[in-house]
Amino acid sequence: MKYFRFRKKYTQEKVAELTETSVTYISQLELGHHTPSFDKLELLSKALGVEAFEFFVKRDFKKLPPRVDMANME
């Protein structure tokens, strides 16, 4: 999920707002501490502009920095 959020240049706050969830919930999803329900998965895919199955496709996360300073992104 973080991969797609990064591509859209969204903060966790923005995704939480779009999905009507909390920032804590989004963070926990990204850390793998929670699994979203089908309803939440659908909301997340719409918010991030991807098909739901794409969350399950293995990606090369080495290209994604561990911490992203969203304020300095162009």
Side-chain angles (χ1 to χ4, degrees):
M1 194 175 93
K2 183 177 180 180
Y3 172 82
F4 298 111
R5 181 173 64 80
F6 182 74
R7 280 192 355 190
K8 294 283 272 187
K9 299 181 181 178
Y10 284 173
T11 62
Q12 288 180 340
E13 290 84 6
K14 178 69 173 176
V15 176
E17 178 184 319
L18 292 171
T19 58
E20 298 179 357
T21 59
S22 70
V23 175
T24 302
Y25 180 73
I26 299 301
S27 175
Q28 295 295 309
L29 287 176
E30 289 186 358
L31 292 170
H33 295 181
H34 287 289
T35 303
S37 66
F38 287 117
D39 292 337
K40 292 290 185 203
L41 190 61
E42 184 178 8
L43 288 173
L44 289 163
S45 66
K46 286 180 182 179
L48 296 171
V50 297
E51 295 292 327
F53 78 88
E54 293 187 69
F55 290 121
F56 302 99
V57 176
K58 188 170 178 128
R59 305 265 182 220
D60 182 8
F61 292 112
K62 293 176 185 169
K63 296 178 184 175
L64 192 62
R67 293 195 57 90
V68 178
D69 183 0
M70 299 300 285
N72 291 325
M73 293 185 67
E74 296 179 14

